[in-house]
């Protein structure tokens, strides 16, 4: 089966899964498969109840409801990918941009290596991400990235947690830390956006961030709009 067909089928599956569990599906879903990565970009996804909560500035409840549902959905998504795409997902990341009604899922295979697919100005992109990390917490132990297709860039950072962050996690407050880091790091990425866009020769359509505290690892997913056709 052609990769493009698998990507379309994965997108259709995710759309149906979200509709079945949330009562309303997304407007569109775009999947990208490039071993060891599987990414899903979700657009126009907000239920009427969530919309009312956002109108009341209760976005934290929307996030919490989605987090609870995702705990169940992650295993279903990983099982589908293993059965239909023959990739065993070991790490799973997700993030929502509620203001734009978008979201992302990112899976990383169990046999992934810490390397990058090469693309123009890659080291410049890494250096800019390191600057963001230093402002937010500290320089990461390692940064690597892959341009899965002209519209999808994944950047992975390892060993980013500070001692105080590790202590917050030990005390049982990972949700608060995630919220704080998401707000802080997305804001810092926005400060470096012009430079990053210049290196990538593309505008940012969407930016997502997610963490795996147990692995001391983080993923940025950038949805791009290339400047060239």
């Amino acid at each position: 089966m052609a990769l493009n067909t698998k990507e379309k089928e994965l997108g259709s599956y995710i759309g149906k899964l979200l509709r079945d569990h949330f009562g309303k599906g997304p407007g569109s879903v775009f999947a990208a498969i490039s071993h060891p990565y599987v990414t899903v970009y979700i657009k126009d996804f907000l239920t009427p109840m969530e919309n009312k909560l956002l109108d009341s500035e209760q976005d934290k409840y929307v996030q919490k409801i989605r987090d609870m549902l995702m705990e169940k959905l992650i295993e279903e998504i990983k099982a589908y990918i293993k059965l239909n795409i023959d990739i065993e997902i070991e790490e799973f990341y997700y993030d929502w941009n509620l203001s734009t009604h978008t979201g992302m899922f990112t899976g990383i295979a169990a046999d992934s290596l810490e390397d990058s697919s090469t693309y123009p100005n890659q080291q410049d992109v890494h250096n800019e991400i390191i600057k963001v990390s230093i402002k937010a917490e500290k320089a990461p132990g390692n940064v690597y990235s892959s341009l899965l297709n002209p519209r999808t860039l994944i950047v992975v950072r390892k060993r980013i947690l500070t001692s105080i962050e590790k202590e917050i996690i030990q005390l049982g407050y990972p949700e608060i830390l995630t919220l704080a880091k998401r707000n802080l790091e997305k804001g810092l990425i926005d400060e470096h956006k012009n430079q990053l866009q210049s290196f990538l020769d593309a505008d940012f359509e969407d930016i997502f961030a997610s963490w795996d505290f147990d692995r001391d690892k983080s993923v940025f997913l950038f949805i791009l709009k290339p400047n060239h056709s």
Side-chain angles (χ1 to χ4, degrees):
M1 188 185 296
L3 188 60
N4 191 258
T5 303
K6 287 185 178 182
E7 289 174 342
K8 287 180 179 177
E9 290 186 354
L10 176 59
S12 296
Y13 167 78
I14 295 294
K16 183 178 185 303
L17 189 71
L18 293 175
R19 185 168 60 252
D20 289 347
H21 285 81
F22 285 86
K24 180 185 181 299
S28 51
V29 182
F30 303 95
I33 303 168
S34 181
H35 195 277
Y37 304 109
V38 177
T39 67
V40 178
Y41 177 43
I42 300 154
K43 297 185 73 173
D44 304 319
F45 181 56
L46 194 73
T47 69
M49 181 193 72
E50 290 175 333
N51 195 32
K52 288 179 180 178
L53 287 170
L54 291 181
D55 284 344
S56 306
E57 298 184 354
Q58 302 293 324
D59 56 300
K60 63 182 178 182
Y61 293 111
V62 176
Q63 290 279 9
K64 198 162 188 64
I65 291 166
R66 289 193 176 187
D67 284 345
M68 288 189 292
L69 283 169
M70 284 304 299
E71 286 179 18
K72 180 178 187 300
L73 298 190
I74 286 170
E75 293 309 313
E76 293 186 34
I77 295 168
K78 287 164 69 173
Y80 175 93
I81 291 171
K82 183 176 181 180
L83 181 65
N84 295 278
I85 304 173
D86 197 27
I87 295 178
E88 186 167 0
I89 297 298
E90 182 173 288
E91 304 171 40
F92 194 96
Y93 302 83
Y94 68 91
D95 185 26
W96 309 103
N97 284 336
L98 295 177
S99 60
T100 56
H101 307 173
T102 57
M104 76 85 174
F105 302 154
T106 294
I108 303 179
D111 56 349
S112 66
L113 299 173
E114 294 182 13
D115 59 4
S116 307
S117 65
T118 304
Y119 56 88
N121 302 319
Q122 185 175 38
Q123 191 55 53
D124 292 319
V125 171
H126 290 182
N127 290 341
E128 211 65 26
I129 293 296
I130 290 168
K131 291 177 185 177
V132 168
S133 296
I134 289 171
K135 287 182 180 179
E137 54 265 313
K138 65 171 188 174
N142 193 15
V143 178
Y144 50 101
S145 63
S146 287
L147 191 64
L148 308 190
N149 58 44
R151 288 179 51 81
T152 310
L153 173 69
I154 183 169
V155 180
V156 182
R157 297 174 298 162
K158 294 193 73 175
R159 300 188 300 281
I160 56 169
L161 292 173
T162 63
S163 297
I164 189 68
E165 289 173 333
K166 291 177 182 177
E167 189 63 25
I168 290 169
I169 294 162
Q170 281 291 111
L171 290 170
Y173 300 105
E175 287 182 18
I176 292 173
L177 183 60
T178 298
L179 182 62
K181 287 173 76 66
R182 182 183 290 128
N183 292 341
L184 175 61
E185 293 199 1
K186 283 186 179 179
L188 290 170
I189 285 286
D190 199 53
E191 290 179 14
H192 291 254
K193 183 169 74 171
N194 290 340
Q195 197 65 54
L196 285 164
Q197 289 180 150
S198 175
F199 292 143
L200 293 164
D201 192 23
D203 290 336
F204 290 161
E205 181 174 337
D206 235 325
I207 302 167
F208 299 98
S210 186
W211 294 264
D212 185 326
F213 293 139
D214 291 335
R215 289 184 170 88
D216 195 356
K217 199 168 179 179
S218 168
V219 162
F220 283 121
L221 190 71
F222 297 93
I223 305 300
L224 309 175
K225 292 189 288 187
N227 292 327
H228 51 85
S229 56

